[in-house]
Amino acid sequence: PNSPTHLIGKILSLGLLLTQSTPIQARNSGNEVDYSIYGMSMQRDWLYNSKTISIKTLGCVWGYVDSDYGENMGCMPNDSGDGTTSWYMMANCKRAQVAYQMHASTGSTSCNNRDFKESLVTKNGVAEFAYILGSYGYNSPISSNDVSSFPMCEGDGNGYYLSVGCSSSGGFTIDRFSDQYCLEYEETYDTLSNFNSVMKSGLKCYKTYSSSTDEDVSYSLANYLINDSGSCSSSESSLCTTSDFVSQAGSGGFQRSRGFTSGAAGSFSNQVKYTLGSGMLLGSVIMFVGILFTNRRKRHAMMHRKFRQSTDKKKKKKKSSKSVSSSSKKSGASRRPKDTGVFA
């Protein structure tokens, strides 16, 4: 595991990780980062960068209900039981919702075009909207007590059903319907003039967050309202204003956000990462080539050493064989008897 090859593999992997772009870096253009792929939650950097946030109610909008609370809003149940009701008929339940605008500023909000951020619409009706205001707001003009008597698809005792509806001018009404799911409108039962007056005058620029009184925007009225709402554009209602993000996303474009991170800091950190990664890659390549040449030299040296050793052994063998033969000859001559003939 501690071999040079294993070490080089680790260095290469680390270098590739450092030079690899993240999803945000891959879409980095200059000092601008594309956050549209992450939805509206990444576009609401103003929610955390503002010192004051206020809302301005726009009126009543016939909008979709949160599917998890559909039965509480008098919608069709999630399962018809007999298979006669299609799933899309149950999922697309609509009720009277509150449309409003969010305004935020680093100073004080005036609820005009300069501090406008987004148009929103509730998902659980005016009753939930009033409850959130009364529970988390300071001196809220409306609360759950003001809407406790509002019916939600309840029978009137005469074969009809009453529920909160919307007038053509964008005000809240109590309407009469002929079916139990309040889909077949019959007539207006009550115009709710007093309630509409309070909604219009009391919430024309109502503060939902202030850095001087609220410790954290995550636990402020503004955040609770946003969590209970969805974006609203002019294509859904004439009361709503299409934000830049919604309009550009709908046309295939993207919104660029500068407030989420510092472009200069991001660019510098990217340069540092790419420099380190490139340096490590280059170093690992040099080390790899060096190890290859070193091993090659070692192999050549070992081969020459083995060749010399084998040559020396052969020479020694030859010398030993020669010495053995010469000594045998001398010993043979010494053993030969001396001539003792007549001429001796």
Side-chain angles (χ1 to χ4, degrees):
N2 296 323
S3 62
T5 305
H6 186 72
L7 181 61
I8 291 174
K10 285 186 176 181
I11 296 175
L12 286 171
S13 301
L14 182 59
L16 290 173
L17 286 175
L18 286 173
T19 56
Q20 187 176 8
S21 298
T22 61
I24 293 178
Q25 294 169 349
R27 294 167 176 81
N28 192 1
S29 175
N31 293 336
E32 296 182 349
V33 181
D34 174 22
Y35 295 105
S36 60
I37 59 172
Y38 301 103
M40 283 303 300
S41 61
M42 292 295 288
Q43 297 293 324
R44 294 194 180 111
D45 47 359
W46 54 264
L47 183 64
Y48 303 95
N49 297 333
S50 302
K51 291 185 177 180
T52 57
I53 302 174
S54 301
I55 63 168
K56 177 183 179 181
T57 54
L58 303 173
C60 182
V61 173
W62 200 249
Y64 289 106
V65 175
D66 189 341
S67 58
D68 294 333
Y69 300 93
E71 294 187 18
N72 297 332
M73 302 287 288
C75 299
M76 292 182 180
N78 294 331
D79 186 10
S80 61
D82 55 4
T84 58
T85 305
S86 301
W87 67 268
Y88 60 85
M89 296 175 62
M90 298 181 283
N92 294 334
C93 178
K94 286 187 174 184
R95 289 291 179 262
Q97 307 286 359
V98 182
Y100 61 96
Q101 290 179 345
M102 276 286 182
H103 296 261
S105 173
T106 55
S108 59
T109 53
S110 55
C111 295
N112 53 27
N113 292 333
R114 288 179 300 177
D115 53 27
F116 168 76
K117 297 303 178 183
E118 188 180 355
S119 291
L120 298 167
V121 60
T122 59
K123 296 184 290 185
N124 294 307
V126 64
E128 186 68 16
F129 178 78
Y131 170 77
I132 294 175
L133 281 175
S135 300
Y136 303 104
Y138 296 100
N139 299 320
S140 174
I142 64 171
S143 65
S144 57
N145 294 330
D146 299 303
V147 297
S148 59
S149 61
F150 289 2
M152 186 57 64
C153 262
E154 300 174 5
D156 64 353
N158 297 316
Y160 293 93
Y161 295 85
L162 298 177
S163 187
V164 180
C166 298
S167 66
S168 58
S169 61
F172 289 91
T173 59
I174 301 297
D175 295 334
R176 182 180 280 116
F177 298 86
S178 60
D179 67 306
Q180 61 175 334
Y181 298 117
C182 297
L183 300 175
E184 301 295 332
Y185 170 79
E186 291 289 331
E187 60 181 354
T188 297
Y189 178 80
D190 190 346
T191 58
L192 299 176
S193 57
N194 293 334
F195 178 76
N196 287 317
S197 178
V198 173
M199 286 282 288
K200 186 175 182 180
S201 61
L203 297 173
K204 60 182 179 181
C205 195
Y206 179 72
K207 188 176 294 184
T208 58
Y209 169 74
S210 175
S211 59
S212 60
T213 56
D214 297 303
E215 295 182 0
D216 190 349
V217 70
S218 301
Y219 302 100
S220 66
L221 173 60
N223 192 52
Y224 288 122
L225 286 174
I226 289 176
N227 290 335
D228 189 62
S229 307
S231 297
C232 183
S233 65
S234 58
S235 61
E236 297 169 289
S237 174
S238 59
L239 298 177
C240 298
T241 302
T242 304
S243 63
D244 293 338
F245 171 80
V246 175
S247 61
Q248 293 180 16
S251 61
F254 299 98
Q255 180 182 6
R256 302 287 176 178
S257 174
R258 296 177 182 266
F260 186 81
T261 184
S262 172
S267 177
F268 176 75
S269 62
N270 290 340
Q271 290 178 1
V272 172
K273 289 178 65 176
Y274 281 114
T275 303
L276 288 175
S278 301
M280 294 185 71
L281 285 174
L282 180 61
S284 62
V285 171
I286 294 174
M287 185 184 296
F288 181 73
V289 174
I291 291 175
L292 285 179
F293 277 101
T294 302
N295 291 338
R296 186 176 180 182
R297 290 176 182 175
K298 287 182 178 179
R299 286 196 298 268
H300 281 289
M302 290 178 64
M303 291 176 63
H304 284 294
R305 191 179 298 111
K306 289 182 178 179
F307 179 76
R308 287 177 181 176
Q309 290 177 353
S310 61
T311 305
D312 293 340
K313 287 181 180 180
K314 289 180 179 179
K315 289 181 179 180
K316 288 180 179 180
K317 287 182 179 179
K318 288 182 179 179
K319 288 181 179 180
S320 61
S321 60
K322 287 181 179 180
S323 60
V324 170
S325 60
S326 60
S327 61
S328 60
K329 288 181 179 179
K330 289 181 180 180
S331 60
S334 60
R335 293 192 197 102
R336 187 176 304 164
K338 295 182 180 181
D339 295 332
T340 54
V342 293
F343 296 103

